[in-house]
Amino acid sequence: MVEPDKQDHPIMAIDRDGLNALIQRLAAEGYQVIGPRVEDAAVVLGPVAGVADLPAGWTDEQSGGHYRLVADGKGEAGALFGYTLAAQGWKRYLHPPRTRLWQAHREGRSWRVEAEAAPQRYAFLGVRACELSAIGVLDRVFDNGQFTDPGYAARRSGTFIVAVNCGRAAATCFCASMDTGPKAHAGFDLALTELPGEDRAGFVVEVGSPAGAAMLQAIPHGPAAAADIDAAERAVATATAQMQRAAGGREMVADAAGVLSRNAEHPLWEAVAARCLGCGNCTAVCPTCFCTSVEDTTDLSGEVAERWRRWDSCFTLDFSYIHGGSVRRGTASRYRQWITHKLSYWHEQFGTSGCVGCGRCITWCPVGIDITEEARALAESEGRT
Amino acid sequence: MTARKPKLAVWKFSSCDGCQLSLLDCEDELLAVADAVEIAYFLEATRAQVKGPYDVSLVEGSVTTPEDIRRIRKIRKQSKVLITIGACATAGGIQALRNFNRVYDFITAVYAEPDYIETLATSTPIQDHVPVDFELRGCPINKYQLLEVVNALLNGRRPVVPAHSQCVECKAHGTVCVMVSQGTPCLGPVTQAGCGNLCPSVNRACYGCFGPKEMPNTSSLAGWFSANGLGQPHVRDFFRSFNAGAEPFRRESEAHE
């Protein structure tokens, strides 16, 4: 991805028909277009064939352990991207819950190993700024110069990204304090900002790559009016303002990395463990949690063997199982491991925070354990805030 | 591959037969199973009986009579590997509800001549009576997990049957959490995965058919149930169903008597 060249690509605009044309054009070029849609009482990501599949008129209400799909009252005329985040993110496409690494067939006293077929090319529609940042984090995990995960690299390199800037923050959002949003600055092919207010409002479009520029040329578009550019900027500013702690919003405490590194021993861990279910929901919905386990399977005859990789979670007992037993037997040590890795030693490992401030772990924790509040409680116990 | 096929026996104790049926339900794979093992004792499928010892015994059902205790000890002696299948065999089953009451009251209520009934005061899992090599959970068990266990045994590898929560399975399937998105009380966070995501994928909460996951925090979940308007009897009953006798569920249900 390259930085948008503002000279070559002035800010443009498309209407809903233009967005529909974009989805169809992407499909025609061989991408499977993945975008938001309403399913199971939530906005989820899945295949979309056109604007009619998008969650027009739907928004969401989120807090610790709480998500509700809420109608904005405008129906089809309502915003297409009025929700904040889908229940799960793009990780499940770039780093799927289950991936077959290889299959082998017995041939005499040996085995013939078959490589996996080339992956599906995806176009992601509706990637939020925090999620773009998370994809950047995954890039550093799976393709970092020292080592490349070939499956991830193949899926990632073929992906076309349409970002959508946020005009609203959920109560669980804290990207502003993580410096990851709510506006996408890089890492996209095209970035849209949905214009607020009017019925069936259109989008201001920024180009982020040559592929994005070419795609925009292939669909109906025009230059953005100055008033629309202003309105788009104001929409993003609204989302930023909603996240300010002074205004009742949510922020990650300053120097979370230092706070976590200084508090490996703290009574807070046992207090969290009393509430933590150890269910692993937080790691599954986290857009940067990447840990996996490898499983070998055979068929009954022993003629075919397969190796699968599946998402694992540092909240399971088996995760830290080594010879002789599990290293992290207690929930306190597992929660400490997760939050300390995420906020603190991820920096040492990958040169960035592992948290992008999307707040999914807060919403989708069944009992609403809050990463920002736990970090803040540790900081406050130090007497530094 | 060994020259001699391993001898497989399937035994029934107090149970509904549903788990044994899961083996017959393997339809597409059943011929391959029959090809790979010698079905030596399986009354649900065939009257033909081959004498022990057996390489593998699958045991369904719980121990509820003095005769059951004698029989399971004999089966254990005859079996190289003993695998218990289903909630009855691994936790005492739904019939373990008797453990919370006086069994004599039930007998006198049901039978005209209670003196003819010889039964134990409790329904208990097989591992309370003999050593068990592997426990396969579920009410009923999942046929793919059963195949995986048989398969792993035949190929000398460890079965892939994780003890993590149902939530892990929901998230892997992309199922939206009914607890968070609809406020529906759900046992998923304390229940072992393995059912194939049956209830949550049709917008229902988890009933805990696969019993407690490793280190379940039942009191935190029960606290959520209470805070969200569930009365004490309902919280108790949530933990008191097919796996009522499983230790963590038993303790939690008794805390809400």
Side-chain angles (χ1 to χ4, degrees):
Chain A
M1 301 293 156
V2 296
E3 274 290 320
D5 185 335
K6 297 278 161 48
Q7 298 290 303
D8 288 355
H9 308 293
I11 295 176
M12 306 302 276
I14 59 172
D15 58 14
R16 286 199 180 182
D17 291 339
L19 181 61
N20 203 50
L22 173 64
I23 295 170
Q24 287 167 358
R25 179 80 200 177
L26 286 163
E29 292 199 7
Y31 292 101
Q32 185 178 17
V33 185
I34 305 297
R37 49 191 303 158
V38 170
E39 224 170 82
D40 296 342
V43 173
V44 302
L45 300 177
V48 291
V51 162
D53 288 338
L54 302 180
W58 289 104
T59 178
D60 50 41
E61 172 189 294
Q62 301 191 40
S63 60
H66 176 92
Y67 176 101
R68 291 293 181 276
L69 193 61
V70 180
D72 73 359
K74 295 181 190 164
E76 288 300 306
L80 297 176
F81 298 93
Y83 69 97
T84 51
L85 284 171
Q88 287 192 46
W90 310 94
K91 181 173 80 173
R92 60 183 299 111
Y93 292 97
L94 291 174
H95 177 46
R98 279 176 64 77
T99 320
R100 189 168 66 192
L101 298 176
W102 49 256
Q103 189 181 49
H105 297 263
R106 192 191 289 274
E107 281 187 348
R109 295 175 64 84
S110 180
W111 292 87
R112 174 171 47 85
V113 175
E114 280 179 14
E116 290 303 308
Q120 171 73 46
R121 276 204 311 163
Y122 292 118
F124 294 164
L125 172 64
V127 182
R128 302 299 191 177
C130 60
E131 298 181 309
L132 265 183
S133 189
I135 291 171
V137 172
L138 286 183
D139 288 350
R140 263 166 281 192
V141 172
F142 288 116
D143 193 3
N144 51 25
Q146 284 181 298
F147 137 96
T148 299
D149 180 285
Y152 179 88
R155 284 185 291 273
R156 176 73 175 96
S157 66
T159 302
F160 187 94
I161 291 180
V162 183
V164 173
N165 293 321
C166 293
R168 187 187 139 245
T172 43
C173 291
F174 57 102
C175 65
S177 62
M178 301 305 294
D179 201 21
T180 58
K183 183 171 165 47
H185 292 290
F188 54 81
D189 295 295
L190 293 173
L192 314 180
T193 310
E194 189 165 26
L195 293 167
E198 305 153 52
D199 285 353
R200 301 182 59 79
F203 301 87
V204 164
V205 186
E206 289 164 80
V207 171
S209 73
M215 190 57 67
L216 188 61
Q217 286 306 316
I219 61 167
H221 68 285
D228 285 348
I229 295 171
D230 284 350
E233 280 176 9
R234 279 199 306 278
V236 171
T238 302
T240 307
Q242 286 170 343
M243 282 181 274
Q244 282 171 3
R245 191 169 153 81
R250 184 181 298 274
E251 290 176 12
M252 178 57 76
V253 71
D255 187 30
V259 170
L260 267 302
S261 71
R262 288 189 296 271
N263 287 287
E265 299 298 333
H266 198 285
L268 176 131
W269 304 123
E270 287 301 337
V272 179
R275 290 186 290 144
C276 177
L277 298 164
C279 59
N281 273 306
C282 50
T283 59
V285 296
C286 176
T288 67
C289 272
F290 58 84
C291 286
T292 54
S293 181
V294 170
E295 293 171 348
D296 290 336
T297 66
T298 45
D299 72 344
L300 279 166
S301 65
E303 296 299 306
V304 182
E306 292 180 347
R307 177 160 289 179
W308 286 79
R309 190 170 71 178
R310 65 159 173 86
W311 286 355
D312 204 348
S313 168
C314 50
F315 282 88
T316 71
L317 187 60
D318 277 353
F319 181 82
S320 68
Y321 186 91
I322 56 170
H323 174 76
S326 287
V327 176
R328 289 186 281 272
R329 292 200 59 80
T331 306
S333 65
R334 297 189 219 169
Y335 184 81
R336 178 181 64 184
Q337 150 67 22
W338 177 72
I339 191 174
T340 308
H341 186 208
K342 191 82 10 191
L343 295 176
S344 184
Y345 71 83
W346 203 293
H347 286 277
E348 291 148 42
Q349 195 178 7
F350 298 112
T352 170
S353 170
C355 176
V356 296
C358 72
R360 275 200 182 92
C361 60
I362 304 171
T363 299
W364 297 99
C365 170
V367 292
I369 294 172
D370 184 334
I371 188 172
T372 60
E373 287 304 311
E374 300 307 334
R376 187 171 301 277
L378 286 176
E380 285 174 356
S381 75
E382 290 185 325
R384 289 166 196 254
T385 55
Chain B
M1 294 272 107
T2 50
R4 186 180 67 83
K5 285 194 211 173
K7 280 165 77 178
L8 176 80
V10 184
W11 309 94
K12 174 187 157 63
F13 285 75
S14 289
S15 58
C16 77
D17 290 36
C19 291
Q20 296 184 54
L21 282 175
S22 299
L23 185 55
L24 294 176
D25 191 32
C26 288
E27 296 166 353
D28 293 343
E29 300 86 359
L30 192 57
L31 287 176
V33 173
D35 212 32
V37 299
E38 178 190 4
I39 294 175
Y41 183 93
F42 187 9
L43 293 186
E44 183 93 19
T46 171
R47 279 181 298 174
Q49 297 176 27
V50 180
K51 279 194 171 162
Y54 305 99
D55 293 290
V56 183
S57 277
L58 301 177
V59 180
E60 176 198 84
S62 68
V63 171
T64 56
T65 67
E67 171 57 21
D68 283 346
I69 298 176
R70 286 189 287 274
R71 197 156 61 94
I72 191 60
R73 285 178 182 158
K74 198 173 157 195
I75 290 168
R76 175 70 265 190
K77 277 184 187 153
Q78 290 183 303
S79 310
K80 266 192 209 163
V81 174
L82 190 150
I83 297 167
T84 49
I85 58 171
C88 300
T90 60
I94 191 76
Q95 60 273 23
L97 288 176
R98 71 159 67 170
N99 303 3
F100 301 93
N101 290 283
R102 292 200 320 161
V103 75
Y104 185 76
D105 294 345
F106 295 132
I107 297 169
T108 49
V110 173
Y111 297 100
E113 296 287 349
D115 293 347
Y116 288 115
I117 304 299
E118 192 184 17
T119 190
L120 297 169
T122 55
S123 169
T124 45
I126 300 296
Q127 85 270 18
D128 282 9
H129 304 276
V130 295
V132 169
D133 297 297
F134 194 82
E135 289 192 322
L136 195 57
R137 302 279 196 82
C139 185
I141 54 168
N142 173 297
K143 71 171 185 177
Y144 298 105
Q145 285 204 332
L146 177 63
L147 280 170
E148 166 60 16
V149 170
V150 172
N151 197 328
L153 269 173
L154 291 172
N155 289 290
R157 61 177 177 81
R158 195 179 159 206
V160 180
V161 179
H164 56 219
S165 72
Q166 173 54 35
C167 305
V168 172
E169 197 171 15
C170 273
K171 288 292 181 285
H173 283 246
T175 304
V176 175
C177 178
V178 296
M179 201 166 144
V180 169
S181 72
Q182 297 173 60
T184 312
C186 176
L187 281 180
V190 295
T191 299
Q192 181 168 312
C195 65
N197 213 29
L198 290 177
C199 291
S201 65
V202 291
N203 211 17
R204 297 294 295 266
C206 171
Y207 294 92
C209 303
F210 277 59
K213 77 169 192 76
E214 40 91 357
M215 296 184 69
N217 190 344
T218 53
S219 64
S220 174
L221 188 65
W224 186 95
F225 290 169
S226 301
N228 284 269
L230 239 61
Q232 287 286 74
H234 288 108
V235 176
R236 179 198 65 199
D237 292 348
F238 245 92
F239 290 97
R240 198 170 280 182
S241 63
F242 321 107
N243 287 283
E247 189 61 11
F249 285 7
R250 180 190 65 75
R251 263 188 284 113
E252 196 56 46
S253 76
E254 285 180 343
H256 302 271
E257 289 277 23

